[in-house]
Amino acid sequence: MATDSLSTALADIGLSLDDPRAVAAVSLIWYEAHLLDARCYEDWDALWAEGGEYVVPIDRETTDFASRLNLVYDDDRMRRMRVERLTGGLSISAAAAARTVRSVSRFVVTGREQDAIEVCSAQVLVGYKREETFVLAADVTHRIVFGPGGPRISRKIVRLVNSEDTVTASGFLL
Amino acid sequence: MTPDVSSLVESDRVAGTLYTDPDLFEREMDRIFHSTWVWVAHESEIAKPGDFRTAWVGRRPVIVSRDRRGGINVLLNRCRHRGASVCDVPKGNGNGFTCPYHAWSYALDGTLRGIPYPEGYEDVVEKKDLPLQRLKVASYAGMIFASFNDDIEPLEDFLGGARLWIDRFMKQGAGYPIKVQGEHRFRFNGNWKIQLENTTDWYHFPIVHRSWMSSVDAETASMLSIMTDETAVTHALGNGHSVSVSVAEHVDLDVDDGTEKLQDRFSHIVEELSKDLPPERVRRIVRSLHGAGFNLNLFPNVAMSMAFFRVLRPLSVAETEIRHVALGLEGGPEIVNRERLRIHEHFQGPFGFGSPDDAEAWNRVQRGVTGGTDMPILVNRGLGREKPNDLGQPTSHATDETGMREAYAMWKRMMTDGN
Ligand code: FES
Ligand SMILES: [Fe+2]
């Protein structure tokens, strides 16, 4: 009985591996992590749907990002400028970027719409720069839309565990 | 061992060991951070009775609180019983502070109000003798400073020539009071004075911030084309303070000869504000969107830079925490406050287009200097063209190192009793 209701709950909200859209979304999220670690920012930008929203908030509770100070609050224009900054050769911190390796896991599907799903995950990033190795952990929420061109990211919110404390990051993206 | 401190600072150079010597760092904590006025908060952060936030004075954790009578208190965050910190959240509102260990409770002004199971203290403890340690507090134009030194000079005297510039800075409110809208915090591996120097260092701006410059519109970039601008000047203001003007026509935002064209990037804001406000009010508000046209550096730990506060906290001789505090207009138009947040995010913070490049440069200074501490740090740029202004303040170009010379002269006085 208990097992039955658990499996029902998992089918409702969890990651069902026989749900092709969930699998496609997770594949996209993993591929995104791969591109960010490899610093292939132009390719990363191509994963986004038009009108995408990319946010690294300071306030972990808020959903009203526009009226708060964030670490990153990008529309398409800001995100493309960010890519340009990281690839354009004018930034000394981008040139000396930390090397990163990140894992994304603990996937849960938290929302389903007709043409989109929302997936929450845990991200643990290990970075290395100048004799120092550091860890950044975050709860991540992706909204993945399914259009004619395949799945794309339409929203990504990265809630760092330490967002309200000091955050030291250099030359990479979450 | 006491180093011969006075030999470390000359008028045009300072010793590399100022960034690397742990003994000097200890001495700085005692003789500067634990002795002078240190900025702890802005009044908007503790606007209502019961509001509090935590802060640091040097290496000591403090609580800044607003009591029921409206008074501002700065209290050492350390229980008088056996030393636990009594407040563990960055900010909040409450009736006071209760120690988690044995529940001694303190009022918002630090008075010891309650001791559980008091029988054991009969004839031993008088509550009135054991308040939280109170620091001396003063505020100017909403800027709250505190000091562990009861004999410190009045804050207004300490600020001296900087007061005029603090008043001017606050004019970016365009008639609304300034409020804190949030902050970015990050650390860099380098000595605190590397950041102290940077606030009035316009020399680095077009070099280190090329990436930011190339990402903003042409009007904003040309507004900050300092190198060739003769109206961009630095003044030494005394007591270690200095100011660097970047946009001369925004030094006093109340003064407007009408010739300045409002930036195209703000046209959506002009349109929105014009629905409710007359054109001159709209113009006054929009002209102030980038903040004041200067960076004011207040020795030793706070700067008022264009549209934000920069607060530094020394952690160790080679590690510093920086806060960039975003400012807005209390009761002002929402669209303006949001635009100010977006401008702040664009430059500041660990993912901004400006701060990471600064932090990279400062870290490189620390690494380089550690490799050659016997060689001096040069702060002689502009010495040949430095002249007193009509207030007698040493003045040179904004890319010159007049502000650094002023800060190091104050450092030397404080570190050596003026000898
Ligand atoms: S240490 Fe605070 S009550 Fe004992
Ligand atoms: Fe800078």
Side-chain angles (χ1 to χ4, degrees):
Chain A
M1 183 69 181
T3 319
D4 277 359
S5 59
L6 179 63
S7 48
T8 313
L10 283 177
D12 277 355
I13 59 149
L15 175 66
S16 171
L17 286 176
D18 51 17
D19 174 350
R21 291 208 311 183
V23 173
V26 169
S27 302
L28 179 64
I29 292 165
W30 269 334
Y31 184 54
E32 185 205 9
H34 170 77
L35 291 177
L36 288 174
D37 278 339
R39 283 178 256 157
C40 298
Y41 295 115
E42 307 274 4
D43 295 345
W44 172 72
D45 190 55
L47 303 183
W48 285 81
E50 197 64 31
E53 188 183 34
Y54 171 40
V55 193
V56 184
I58 292 173
D59 181 347
R60 279 175 54 89
E61 308 303 322
T62 194
T63 49
D64 178 11
F65 307 116
S67 68
R68 303 297 169 89
L69 186 69
N70 303 287
L71 296 170
V72 173
Y73 183 64
D74 286 1
D75 53 13
D76 288 339
R77 181 177 148 273
M78 268 300 278
R79 192 184 67 249
R80 283 178 193 134
M81 290 200 316
R82 195 176 292 283
V83 167
E84 171 60 28
R85 168 175 155 76
L86 291 169
T87 56
L90 297 180
S91 159
I92 54 175
S93 62
R99 195 174 293 154
T100 64
V101 172
R102 71 195 75 196
S103 293
V104 191
S105 188
R106 203 199 62 198
F107 295 106
V108 175
V109 176
T110 49
R112 291 174 199 274
E113 298 160 52
Q114 188 164 14
D115 64 342
I117 63 173
E118 186 184 78
V119 179
C120 286
S121 60
Q123 173 170 298
V124 178
L125 177 149
V126 179
Y128 163 77
K129 177 174 173 174
R130 289 197 188 123
E131 298 150 25
E132 263 183 47
T133 299
F134 56 90
V135 175
L136 284 174
D139 291 299
V140 185
T141 303
H142 283 86
R143 182 174 185 273
I144 306 293
V145 290
F146 296 88
R152 293 279 184 280
I153 304 166
S154 77
R155 190 190 310 132
K156 178 181 182 184
I157 318 290
V158 183
R159 294 184 174 88
L160 287 163
V161 293
N162 59 329
S163 59
E164 286 168 323
D165 199 337
T166 57
V167 175
T168 301
S170 195
F172 58 87
L173 295 184
L174 293 170
Chain B
M1 186 200 80
T2 309
D4 176 14
V5 175
S6 64
S7 71
L8 301 177
V9 171
E10 294 173 49
S11 59
D12 66 342
R13 67 191 59 202
V14 304
T17 51
L18 259 66
Y19 300 156
T20 60
D21 182 344
D23 292 337
L24 278 179
F25 182 82
E26 294 300 321
R27 196 175 166 98
E28 288 173 342
M29 291 304 103
D30 290 345
R31 300 186 67 122
I32 298 175
F33 282 86
H34 299 154
S35 301
T36 190
W37 288 111
V38 169
W39 187 86
V40 289
H42 184 258
E43 285 191 24
S44 66
E45 296 178 276
I46 51 159
K48 297 188 300 296
D51 282 353
F52 63 85
R53 69 153 298 147
T54 55
W56 295 83
V57 174
R59 275 190 301 204
R60 300 179 184 162
V62 298
I63 307 164
V64 187
S65 70
R66 175 86 66 178
D67 61 41
R68 296 288 160 210
R69 291 185 306 276
I72 298 169
N73 308 276
V74 180
L75 311 164
L76 188 67
N77 190 1
R78 183 225 185 261
C79 181
R80 293 298 304 272
H81 177 219
R82 295 226 301 276
S85 65
V86 299
C87 177
D88 194 42
V89 292
K91 59 183 180 222
N93 182 281
N95 290 319
F97 308 99
T98 299
C99 181
Y101 202 177
H102 313 92
W104 285 27
S105 62
Y106 301 89
L108 290 160
D109 65 359
T111 312
L112 177 57
R113 266 192 325 212
I115 297 182
Y117 310 109
E119 303 75 25
Y121 285 116
E122 259 164 45
D123 305 324
V124 179
V125 157
E126 285 289 344
K127 283 193 291 213
K128 69 172 172 34
D129 297 336
L130 293 172
L132 294 176
Q133 185 181 349
R134 292 172 59 84
L135 281 73
K136 190 145 176 158
V137 186
S139 100
Y140 182 82
M143 304 291 280
I144 306 170
F145 295 79
S147 180
F148 279 101
N149 177 4
D150 281 332
D151 303 323
I152 186 101
E153 66 184 313
L155 177 64
E156 301 220 341
D157 295 353
F158 171 72
L159 294 173
R163 279 182 290 156
L164 168 70
W165 294 91
I166 296 175
D167 296 342
R168 285 175 170 169
F169 186 88
M170 296 304 179
K171 290 187 183 191
Q172 66 187 278
Y176 299 98
I178 292 295
K179 69 167 179 183
V180 167
Q181 290 210 88
E183 64 182 36
H184 288 133
R185 294 172 63 185
F186 63 99
R187 292 180 177 191
F188 76 97
N189 290 329
N191 186 268
W192 64 278
K193 297 185 293 302
I194 298 171
Q195 156 69 97
L196 183 77
E197 294 169 7
N198 180 264
T199 287
T200 55
D201 180 348
W202 284 101
Y203 191 24
H204 85 290
F205 201 88
I207 320 285
V208 165
H209 299 305
R210 278 198 300 164
S211 147
W212 178 82
M213 291 284 259
S214 80
S215 73
V216 294
D217 56 299
E219 287 172 322
T220 302
S222 92
M223 182 180 85
L224 292 173
S225 58
I226 312 292
M227 307 306 281
T228 52
D229 181 352
E230 299 208 339
T231 65
V233 292
T234 291
H235 309 290
L237 302 174
N239 286 351
H241 315 314
S242 60
V243 66
S244 246
V245 172
S246 48
V247 189
E249 55 280 21
H250 290 176
V251 161
D252 184 340
L253 286 160
D254 283 336
V255 176
D256 181 3
D257 65 8
T259 58
E260 181 188 343
K261 176 181 167 297
L262 296 182
Q263 292 189 357
D264 287 341
R265 66 183 284 183
F266 299 138
S267 55
H268 64 294
I269 296 172
V270 171
E271 195 180 320
E272 175 72 22
L273 294 180
S274 297
K275 291 177 187 163
D276 300 319
L277 296 171
E280 63 278 8
R281 283 294 295 144
V282 173
R283 183 173 167 84
R284 179 67 181 78
I285 292 169
V286 172
R287 279 184 80 234
S288 306
L289 264 166
H290 286 295
F294 55 84
N295 289 0
L296 172 64
N297 200 26
L298 300 178
F299 189 89
N301 83 318
V302 68
M304 305 167 77
S305 280
M306 297 197 76
F308 69 101
F309 301 148
R310 184 270 291 140
V311 189
L312 67 84
R313 174 184 161 210
L315 299 170
S316 71
V317 69
E319 200 187 8
T320 305
E321 183 174 306
I322 310 282
R323 292 162 48 201
H324 286 159
V325 180
L327 304 176
L329 280 44
E330 180 67 57
E334 182 69 15
I335 191 173
V336 170
N337 284 335
R338 287 185 185 203
E339 187 70 15
R340 292 181 64 110
L341 289 170
R342 303 292 89 81
I343 292 172
H344 194 85
E345 285 160 354
H346 190 158
F347 193 98
Q348 316 292 348
F351 295 95
F353 287 33
S355 303
D357 294 330
D358 279 322
E360 174 68 15
W362 305 334
N363 182 222
R364 296 281 286 271
V365 171
Q366 189 72 24
R367 289 172 71 81
V369 168
T370 304
T373 51
D374 52 333
M375 294 161 76
I377 302 293
L378 300 182
V379 289
N380 54 4
R381 184 176 160 86
L383 259 180
R385 55 182 172 182
E386 189 175 285
K387 300 202 172 55
N389 66 0
D390 50 9
L391 297 172
Q393 296 161 338
T395 296
S396 61
H397 192 251
T399 61
D400 292 343
E401 286 156 349
T402 299
M404 291 154 231
R405 294 192 280 276
E406 175 60 35
Y408 283 119
M410 181 66 167
W411 184 93
K412 184 173 180 173
R413 270 206 312 283
M414 296 194 77
M415 293 287 279
T416 62
D417 288 330
N419 296 324

